[in-house]
Amino acid sequence: MGPPGSGKGTQAKRLAERYRVMHLSTGDMLRAEIASRHALGRSAQGYMDRGDLVPDGLILDMIRSRLQEIPEDGGFILDGFPRTVAQAEELDGLLNGLHLPLERAVLIEVSDAQIKIRLSGRARLEGRSDDTDEVIDRRLDVYRRQTEPLIALYEKRGLLSRVKGEAPVESVFAELEHLRTE
Ligand code: AP5
């Protein structure tokens, strides 16, 4: 978990390669649905372009089948999911059904100022349609209102770890690797 631009995707990809586990990013899945012009992508695009969350029902339909691809003895990293309390509750049910435990929730903490620098830099390089100033503000607001409540939820369950996301990519990764051995 973490605000937009906190480094979830960067770190999740590295962790998945390092530990040979599945990386499940709902943002990447949605962008692939849009690129392949599937109906789900068409329904999601407007929400993403505005910086709003895609409705829970669409996200859950999309992730349900992907969770079923995780081998019984395999690990997985969720990136950008769950993002609402309803998604977290549904995830618990899905994982219980698959006998897969949720071992840890990691929160990558980065200030708004640093997020804006990173995402406007990415906009210049990659031109992601939701990296404009106005949409970045909206994504931050949506994160505060809809996703931040999950921090308390996972903290209460003793699953939450926080990492300082403003350090260089390598240092954040080292901190994440260290968590695994705790
Ligand atoms: P999603 O793709 O998940 O976007 P996001 O959460 O806004 O996150 P980003 O991809 O922008 O950032 P990140 O935290 O992954 O950071 P990254 O590693 O890329 O979602 C997009 C949209 O899809 C949402 O707005 C929503 O509409 C929809 N959606 C997705 N999941 C959903 C769900 N579950 N429910 C409902 N809707 C959903 O890094 C960002 C930049 O910073 C990069 O340029 C990177 O190189 C750089 N960087 C990373 N780490 C560092 C570092 N340590 N130091 C310096 N630069 C760094």
Side-chain angles (χ1 to χ4, degrees), residues 83-124:
R83 243 163 154 116
T84 62
V85 172
Q87 289 181 16
E89 285 169 354
E90 187 73 19
L91 175 66
D92 286 340
L94 291 170
L95 292 180
N96 277 339
L98 295 166
H99 307 290
L100 290 168
L102 188 65
E103 289 175 354
R104 199 181 285 272
V106 180
L107 173 65
I108 306 183
E109 295 180 303
V110 176
S111 68
D112 287 7
Q114 178 65 22
I115 284 164
K116 287 181 184 177
I117 292 170
R118 285 185 190 178
L119 296 186
S120 45
R122 185 170 67 184
R124 282 192 293 277

Side-chain angles (χ1 to χ4, degrees), residues 1 104-110 143 148 150-156 159-165 172 175-176 178-179 182:
M1 287 193 294
R104 199 181 285 272
V106 180
L107 173 65
I108 306 183
E109 295 180 303
V110 176
Y143 173 76
E148 270 192 353
L150 298 184
I151 297 172
L153 192 145
Y154 288 117
E155 203 151 44
K156 220 160 146 189
L159 291 178
L160 190 83
S161 300
R162 294 168 189 263
V163 299
K164 292 183 185 68
V172 178
E175 210 182 322
L176 289 167
H178 180 71
L179 283 180
E182 269 180 3

Side-chain angles (χ1 to χ4, degrees), residues 23-171:
H23 169 209
L24 299 171
S25 155
T26 43
D28 287 350
M29 288 175 207
L30 288 166
R31 282 183 288 276
E33 293 283 338
I34 291 170
S36 54
R37 299 172 193 277
H38 286 155
L40 197 149
R42 280 199 300 276
S43 309
Q45 182 147 33
Y47 296 98
M48 294 172 75
D49 286 347
R50 285 193 299 277
D52 286 329
L53 292 185
V54 173
D56 290 336
L58 289 182
I59 296 292
L60 291 163
D61 283 349
M62 189 177 70
I63 194 107
R64 202 171 280 124
S65 58
R66 300 300 299 274
L67 286 172
Q68 274 155 3
E69 291 167 13
I70 300 169
E72 248 176 62
D73 56 350
F76 60 96
I77 297 178
L78 299 170
D79 161 10
F81 174 85
R83 243 163 154 116
T84 62
V85 172
Q87 289 181 16
E89 285 169 354
E90 187 73 19
L91 175 66
D92 286 340
L94 291 170
L95 292 180
N96 277 339
L98 295 166
H99 307 290
L100 290 168
L102 188 65
E103 289 175 354
R104 199 181 285 272
V106 180
L107 173 65
I108 306 183
E109 295 180 303
V110 176
S111 68
D112 287 7
Q114 178 65 22
I115 284 164
K116 287 181 184 177
I117 292 170
R118 285 185 190 178
L119 296 186
S120 45
R122 185 170 67 184
R124 282 192 293 277
L125 289 174
E126 297 174 21
R128 214 173 100 170
S129 61
D130 57 352
D131 280 344
T132 61
D133 288 347
E134 195 186 326
V135 180
I136 293 168
D137 284 341
R138 175 77 189 155
R139 285 157 69 198
L140 279 168
D141 179 51
V142 165
Y143 173 76
R144 299 265 128 73
R145 286 186 293 107
Q146 295 187 260
T147 307
E148 270 192 353
L150 298 184
I151 297 172
L153 192 145
Y154 288 117
E155 203 151 44
K156 220 160 146 189
R157 286 165 60 175
L159 291 178
L160 190 83
S161 300
R162 294 168 189 263
V163 299
K164 292 183 185 68
E166 297 205 15
V169 171
E170 287 300 332
S171 313

